[in-house]
Amino acid sequence: MTGVRPPSPLPPAPTAAGRAGRTLVMGVVNVTPDSFSDGGRWFAPDAAVAHGLALLADGADLLDVGGESTRPGAARVPVAEELDRVLPVVRELAARGAAVSVDTTRAEVAEAAVAAGAVVVNDVSGGLADPEIRDVVARTGVVYVAMHWRGHADVMDSLAEYDDVVTDVRRELADRVAELRAAGVADHQVVLDPGLGFAKPGSANWPLLARLPELVADGFPVLVGASRKRFLGHLLAGEDGVPVPPEQRDAATAAVSALAAAAGAWCVRVHEVRGTADAVRVAARWRAAAPSGEDEG
């Protein structure tokens, strides 16, 4: 399905040809005490809103607000607690004019967040954790990010077996698209995410990045979420083999963002926005300078 695009208010996605549109930057707003990257720093609603506004000032196009950690081994939180965490932040950021995404696997949270002003539902389970979320997306018409997923954070590392990781991920994402269509979700609402780090050992993430044009060529906008993930920490490990901590992975994240943007990604999801915003601007100009490109400013 070449050329499907999310609806407004978000800018159009690059087509499968990779030239039209520009790559967006999604800033992460973790309203959790236990995120692998910045757990607790933005847990209070006022702190989370201030952080979101700072990310916008740094160049974020949209903000992804999440109230449940998906780090490996994380336990689930009650739905009422997730709602209490995210709704005040979504509501306030939307009121300030931000394009807000809610990072949730639950239909109840997604519906409440959309009512509070969210324009994107970012579901790391792709609808598998709570199939009713598909009905919410169909009814509300919001953009829906369906990530490749095989199980919750406490079990996902045991589910990382693939014949060919790129082929398997594309096939399983195609299954998610079929389920969304059956629920009445329109193709132009759907964004796909290969799920870097989710049920994937470090070595399995690199083929997904190197062969990203194959996923882009399937016709749906693609979101890439490599920010500060374990496979980058292992890549940057010193002679002792100890992975560098998450906050020391931002330069590598920006490099991945530039390469993903050059490959036609619709959006990159990151914790530190400024470096990636610069990186995707470089990629946009790089694409525009190609023989068949158009000047993208």
Side-chain angles (χ1 to χ4, degrees):
M1 300 289 295
T2 300
V4 291
R5 291 181 170 87
S8 59
L10 300 180
T15 64
R19 296 291 199 285
R22 66 179 181 87
T23 298
L24 305 181
V25 178
M26 175 187 280
V28 178
V29 181
N30 285 320
V31 194
T32 61
D34 58 345
S35 166
F36 83 95
S37 172
D38 53 13
R41 292 187 67 188
W42 325 114
F43 188 44
D46 289 349
V49 170
H51 180 54
L53 296 175
L55 293 177
L56 289 177
D58 283 343
D61 297 290
L62 61 159
L63 301 173
D64 194 37
V65 178
E68 183 176 44
S69 175
T70 55
R71 63 177 173 79
R76 304 216 69 189
V77 301
V79 63
E81 184 172 350
E82 186 181 354
L83 286 164
D84 287 344
R85 291 178 181 182
V86 302
L87 289 184
V89 180
V90 169
R91 188 176 295 112
E92 181 63 20
L93 287 172
R96 301 285 192 99
V100 179
S101 166
V102 61
D103 180 359
T104 186
T105 64
R106 289 168 162 148
E108 184 176 348
V109 176
E111 187 157 24
V114 171
V119 295
V120 178
V121 173
N122 181 18
D123 179 0
V124 300
S125 81
L128 293 176
D130 184 355
E132 291 184 8
I133 204 168
R134 302 168 192 151
D135 297 326
V136 172
V137 173
R139 186 169 64 254
T140 60
V142 294
V143 175
Y144 180 72
V145 181
M147 197 191 78
H148 177 265
W149 184 86
R150 286 182 168 181
H152 287 290
D154 57 344
V155 299
M156 67 180 179
D157 283 348
S158 66
L159 304 173
E161 294 186 9
Y162 300 90
D163 293 325
D164 176 88
V165 66
V166 178
T167 300
D168 292 350
V169 166
R170 290 176 71 188
R171 182 182 65 250
E172 291 172 36
L173 284 175
D175 291 341
R176 303 292 79 75
V177 170
E179 291 156 359
L180 289 164
R181 287 170 170 165
V185 177
D187 281 1
H188 68 255
Q189 294 176 252
V190 178
V191 174
L192 301 181
D193 179 344
L196 300 175
F198 286 78
K200 297 171 187 73
S203 59
N205 294 282
W206 295 108
L208 286 166
L209 289 168
R211 295 167 58 186
L212 189 64
E214 295 179 36
L215 187 56
V216 172
D218 288 337
F220 289 91
V222 175
L223 182 146
V224 173
S227 184
R228 296 182 177 177
K229 289 193 173 173
R230 287 183 296 175
F231 73 98
L232 295 179
H234 285 286
L235 172 71
L236 303 175
E239 293 183 0
D240 58 4
V242 177
V244 300
E247 63 272 13
Q248 294 180 23
R249 304 171 191 172
D250 289 333
T253 296
V256 171
S257 296
L259 292 167
W266 169 69
C267 185
V268 288
R269 180 183 183 274
V270 297
H271 298 83
E272 192 279 318
V273 163
R274 188 180 298 274
T276 278
D278 290 346
V280 299
R281 288 174 66 186
V282 170
R285 184 54 64 93
W286 190 298
R287 290 198 312 267
S292 59
E294 297 178 357
D295 189 357
E296 298 183 22

